[in-house]
Amino acid sequence: MEASSLPAALELVVGGGVGLSPEKRAALGSSLLLLQRDYRFERVWFWGCIQGVRGAYYIAEGLGPDRAAPRSRLYSLNCVEWSLLPPATEEMVVQAEQLRGRFQGDPSFEYEYTEISAEDAERLFEDGKEPVIKEEARLVATIEQIDREVGIVPRRAFVKTPLGSVHENRHFEGLSLTEAKKLSSYFHFTEPVNLKNKTLLEKADLDPSTDFLDSLEHDIPTGSWAVQLEKGGAVVVLRSLLWLGLTFYHVPKTKQYGYVYFGTGEKNLDLPFML
């Protein structure tokens, strides 16, 4: 969610029983603006918080002119001092998927691989590396996974130019209440997968400038999103059941939308058996 509208945005998602203390909100309100100035980001998003056993990671994302470009991610342990995270790689994501259990809250904490073949272990030793992964790398990979799988935006909120860059749609005035209650009105804000498999007939009614992402209606497993009306029907809230703690909000007929994550950073692998 936008750092500039953080207090109001957090009020719209507190229905899930999550939020920040007044002290944390005040600290974030000033530190995120300084972060934007110091790193010269065009926009700063407060991504959320991953709660560890001994501490919590507060996450922010910095964006440039092209919204589809890789984002700069930073974390803080106290909402005041921020550290830049390294870019996520596929190797990091694969390694992090092998880990189970809570985060510790210490970036230097090292996990040992529980499932690793003898060949992979030998290759690591030959490269001068130990079969361990630091919590900082796990943090990067988890944020990347959550953004890929449940980071969403409303339909037509962004436009894709003929050159391939993605920008905010200045003509977007929000979804109607009827549209806002449909999963097909929301897109994954990441590289599309299902869209590439659609036939020309299925793409005939799509606008390539706005319908360039995958919608939520085909997410697997079916039923992984809970759609609710809150604040007397004035706010539409989507909650992910795959990554418990991810909450998206949108105020129909306005430009107010965003998502935030408050959780333990653990994927709900039991979801298919719960539906």
Side-chain angles (χ1 to χ4, degrees):
M1 55 178 59
E2 286 280 357
S4 57
S5 59
L6 186 60
L10 286 173
E11 287 297 326
L12 297 177
V13 298
V14 292
V18 298
L20 296 170
S21 67
E23 294 80 6
K24 297 295 184 186
R25 291 192 189 191
L28 283 172
S30 57
S31 67
L32 290 176
L33 295 177
L34 294 174
L35 193 69
Q36 182 174 355
R37 183 200 66 183
D38 294 343
Y39 284 87
R40 299 183 179 181
F41 294 133
E42 188 169 292
R43 290 285 181 88
V44 169
W45 286 354
F46 175 62
W47 184 89
C49 171
I50 292 180
Q51 186 66 48
V53 176
R54 290 174 287 182
Y57 296 104
Y58 300 91
I59 313 298
E61 293 186 328
L63 293 84
D66 184 358
R67 296 295 191 261
R71 306 168 195 168
S72 298
R73 297 184 173 114
L74 304 97
Y75 75 92
S76 174
L77 301 176
N78 56 12
C79 295
V80 177
E81 300 170 333
W82 296 87
S83 301
L84 191 64
L85 288 167
T89 63
E90 288 302 323
E91 183 181 6
M92 283 183 183
V93 175
V94 172
Q95 291 172 346
E97 287 178 340
Q98 301 175 15
L99 301 176
R100 297 289 181 269
R102 295 278 302 275
F103 279 79
Q104 296 300 308
D106 177 7
S108 61
F109 183 83
E110 294 182 341
Y111 298 89
E112 291 187 4
Y113 295 133
T114 55
E115 298 178 8
I116 183 172
S117 65
E119 293 80 4
D120 289 339
E122 186 177 351
R123 177 176 56 81
L124 287 171
F125 280 118
E126 288 176 353
D127 294 339
K129 301 177 182 178
E130 295 183 10
V132 297
I133 178 173
K134 286 192 174 182
E135 183 156 282
E136 184 181 76
R138 183 189 180 189
L139 180 65
V140 172
T142 301
I143 297 170
E144 178 70 16
Q145 277 185 286
I146 294 174
D147 272 343
R148 284 184 190 177
E149 297 180 16
V150 291
I152 61 176
V153 295
R155 184 171 182 250
R156 296 189 296 271
F158 291 86
V159 294
K160 188 173 186 178
T161 67
L163 297 177
S165 59
V166 176
H167 303 277
E168 292 179 4
N169 185 359
R170 296 180 181 179
H171 302 291
F172 177 70
E173 295 296 337
L175 302 172
S176 68
L177 182 58
T178 303
E179 290 179 319
K181 292 187 288 186
K182 299 177 182 177
L183 287 180
S184 58
S185 297
Y186 302 96
F187 290 159
H188 289 281
F189 199 40
T190 186
E191 189 68 24
V193 177
N194 297 329
L195 186 65
K196 297 176 182 179
N197 299 326
K198 287 190 175 183
T199 64
L200 291 176
L201 186 61
E202 291 174 319
K203 293 180 180 179
D205 296 330
L206 301 180
D207 184 343
S209 65
T210 57
D211 300 324
F212 57 93
L213 301 169
D214 288 334
S215 72
L216 271 60
E217 61 180 332
H218 301 301
D219 278 13
I220 298 174
T222 303
S224 60
W225 289 95
V227 183
Q228 297 174 311
L229 293 177
E230 297 187 0
K231 305 289 184 181
V235 183
V236 178
V237 174
L238 278 71
R239 292 189 173 88
S240 173
L241 303 181
L242 184 63
W243 288 93
L244 297 171
L246 190 287
T247 306
F248 172 89
Y249 74 93
H250 175 49
V251 181
K253 298 183 180 180
T254 74
K255 295 183 178 182
Q256 297 180 56
Y257 67 86
Y259 67 85
V260 68
Y261 178 81
F262 287 98
T264 60
E266 297 173 285
K267 191 173 183 178
N268 184 14
L269 299 176
D270 296 327
L271 179 61
F273 306 101
M274 298 166 63
L275 297 174

